[in-house]
């Protein structure tokens, strides 16, 4: 099997370590690098993952590296094609993602500056919360072209929506197509008009299968999808589905596949919205975001997307000073 490229995952917590494992198990990269500021944690996790290779049957090498706050140890990510930033605190029950902004901004800025120094050609995928703001900050701190910095949220939110619809209707997840746009937060915009379910080999609009109240309940559950997991776990936030989403984005980039998926991308005029990082559907390739793919929205969905854009625009302006 042809393997190529190097992907670095910054932050070896639940999200980062699970992402590194998924990436390694794809067996498409030469190397997966996992880093953290907790001494020995990334090295220990890397050793453990490497020891799983004979059992799972993959050859991608996992390297762990402890990094210091002044950039020590970042040589390990040199030459990375992709860097996934997961460093930062997760939510506790009752917290909003926005409660993390000051602490995580300091972490993401420091990480992004070191990424720019040691992996200047990488595509950067941000997952740290609050997502839209941390993506904007990573772009500022790296000064990379905007297409080379993107965030993960839409794949996860869409997957949560799909899972809820499939459970509600008692159908396989593969039969369901859903979409969420907007921000990863209160202004997430689930798009019921784009949701379909395959029944007896035919695609049917979700609106033909469920009542407006049922759809609204699923939309609400999607919007609170992260908080629902946080409340159950009590310590930490979701990581299996989030890691799957970030890993798929990295796969699309390294394979230059042109896969189209919902991501947080820089929007320049699409939907009449300009100059903001926002959840949209985009085509991914070796250069990061190849293009934002516009989709037809109803008037109310478009209005909600514009509202989300203005809410995140204000917050993204604030991160410049954090
Ligand atoms: N975008 C999404 O959809 C989504 C989904 C889930 C979680 N998240 C976010 O992802 C982030 C990570 O979540 P988690 O569950 O892995 O948390 P975690 O606490 O398990 O792990 C975070 C890790 O980051 C490390 N870290 C902190 N500062 C660092 C630095 N300067 N350099 C390198 N590493 C550093 C910590 O030591 C820790 O190991 C959180 O901000 C969380 O809110 C985002």
């Amino acid at each position: 099997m042809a393997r190529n490229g190097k992907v670095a995952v910054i932050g070896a917590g639940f999200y980062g370590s699970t992402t590194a494992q998924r990436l390694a198990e794809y067996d498409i990269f030469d190397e997966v690098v996992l880093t953290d500021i907790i001494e020995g944690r990334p090295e220990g996790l890397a050793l453990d993952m490497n020891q799983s290779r004979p059992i799972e049957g993959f050859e991608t090498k996992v390297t762990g590296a402890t990094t210091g706050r002044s950039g020590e140890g970042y040589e390990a990510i040199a030459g990375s094609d992709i860097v996934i930033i997961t460093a930062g605190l997760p939510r506790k029950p009752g917290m909003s993602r926005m409660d993390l902004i000051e602490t995580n901004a300091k972490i993401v800025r420091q990480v992004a500056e070191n990424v720019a120094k040691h992996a200047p050609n990488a595509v950067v995928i941000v997952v740290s919360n609050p997502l839209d703001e941390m993506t904007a900050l990573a772009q500022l701190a790296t000064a990379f072209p905007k297409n080379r910095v993107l965030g993960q949220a839409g794949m996860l939110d869409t997957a949560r929506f799909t899972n809820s619809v499939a459970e509600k209707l008692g159908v396989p997840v593969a039969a369901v197509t859903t979409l969420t746009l907007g921000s990863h937060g209160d202004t997430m915009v689930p798009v019921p008009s784009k949701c379909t379910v395959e029944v007896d080999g035919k695609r049917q609009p979700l609106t033909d299968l469920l009542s407006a109240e049922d759809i609204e309940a699923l939309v609400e559950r999607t919007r609170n999808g992260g908080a629902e997991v946080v409340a159950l776990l009590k310590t930490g936030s979701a990581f299996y589905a989030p890691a799957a989403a970030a890993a798929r984005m990295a796969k699309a980039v390294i394979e230059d596949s042109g896969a189209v998926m919902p991501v947080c991308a820089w929007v320049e005029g699409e939907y009449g919205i300009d100059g903001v990082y926002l959840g949209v559907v985009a085509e991914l390739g070796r250069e990061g975001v190849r293009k934002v793919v516009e989709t037809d929205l109803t008037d109310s969905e478009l209005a909600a997307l514009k509202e989300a854009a203005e809410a995140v625009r204000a917050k993204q302006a604030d991160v410049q000073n954090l």
Side-chain angles (χ1 to χ4, degrees):
M1 180 195 250
R3 289 174 202 85
N4 79 90
K6 173 169 171 177
V7 54
V9 181
I10 314 295
F14 286 110
Y15 198 148
S17 57
T18 311
T19 303
Q21 180 195 358
R22 291 197 192 282
L23 292 167
E25 288 182 357
Y26 283 162
D27 206 14
I28 59 171
F29 291 95
D30 284 326
E31 186 180 6
V32 176
V33 178
L34 181 62
T35 77
D36 204 288
I37 51 170
I38 300 175
E39 200 192 338
R41 182 173 169 83
E43 290 86 346
L45 290 169
L47 176 60
D48 193 9
M49 283 183 215
N50 281 327
Q51 290 169 347
S52 77
R53 296 189 300 168
I55 305 168
E56 282 300 319
F58 64 94
E59 295 291 340
T60 295
K61 182 175 161 243
V62 186
T63 307
T66 302
T67 55
R69 291 189 192 272
S70 311
E72 307 88 337
Y74 266 90
E75 313 80 60
I77 73 160
S80 292
D81 301 283
I82 303 167
V83 176
I84 304 178
I85 301 180
T86 78
L89 301 190
R91 285 191 281 173
K92 296 198 173 84
M95 277 175 100
S96 85
R97 294 183 179 91
M98 207 48 84
D99 293 335
L100 302 167
I101 193 163
E102 295 211 358
T103 309
N104 283 357
K106 288 190 184 70
I107 294 171
V108 169
R109 182 181 285 282
Q110 183 257 338
V111 168
E113 285 170 358
N114 281 299
V115 170
K117 204 157 141 196
H118 294 274
N121 299 317
V123 169
V124 176
I125 299 172
V126 180
V127 313
S128 312
N129 273 318
L131 189 273
D132 309 272
E133 290 74 14
M134 293 305 108
T135 306
L137 177 60
Q139 192 281 322
L140 278 172
T142 54
F144 284 1
K146 295 192 171 78
N147 61 291
R148 272 212 280 132
V149 182
L150 61 161
Q152 186 301 113
M155 280 278 278
L156 169 64
D157 295 332
T158 299
R160 284 178 172 155
F161 197 7
T162 295
N163 186 57
S164 292
V165 170
E167 278 184 355
K168 175 81 186 166
L169 291 171
V171 298
V173 287
V176 180
T177 302
T178 67
L179 179 63
T180 67
L181 300 172
S183 125
H184 189 48
D186 296 340
T187 40
M188 179 193 302
V189 182
V191 188
S193 75
K194 284 281 165 292
C195 301
T196 58
V197 182
E198 195 176 313
V199 183
D200 299 331
K202 278 189 13 208
R203 287 249 148 234
Q204 295 198 17
L206 183 62
T207 44
D208 286 1
L209 299 169
L210 288 175
S211 67
E213 295 76 47
D214 280 343
I215 292 175
E216 188 44 39
L218 294 173
V219 161
E220 210 37 42
R221 188 171 183 204
T222 303
R223 201 170 272 130
N224 297 322
E228 188 179 351
V229 176
V230 169
L232 288 165
L233 293 178
K234 294 179 193 69
T235 54
S237 60
F239 54 97
Y240 286 115
R248 281 292 149 170
M249 289 168 66
K251 186 171 189 282
V253 171
I254 203 69
E255 291 180 337
D256 197 25
S257 70
V260 172
M261 56 184 77
V263 301
C264 175
W266 184 252
V267 176
E268 271 179 318
E270 293 86 2
Y271 301 105
I273 300 167
D274 205 33
V276 66
Y277 269 103
L278 188 66
V280 287
V281 174
E283 185 181 310
L284 303 192
R286 201 58 198 77
E287 66 272 52
V289 173
R290 280 188 192 164
K291 64 173 185 204
V292 172
V293 180
E294 278 188 78
T295 178
D296 290 336
L297 300 176
T298 65
D299 289 348
S300 65
E301 288 163 353
L302 182 60
L305 186 60
K306 289 187 168 173
E307 204 178 303
E310 292 321 310
V312 289
R313 189 195 304 283
K315 281 283 165 202
Q316 285 177 18
D318 291 348
V319 295
Q320 300 196 25
N321 309 314
L322 291 176

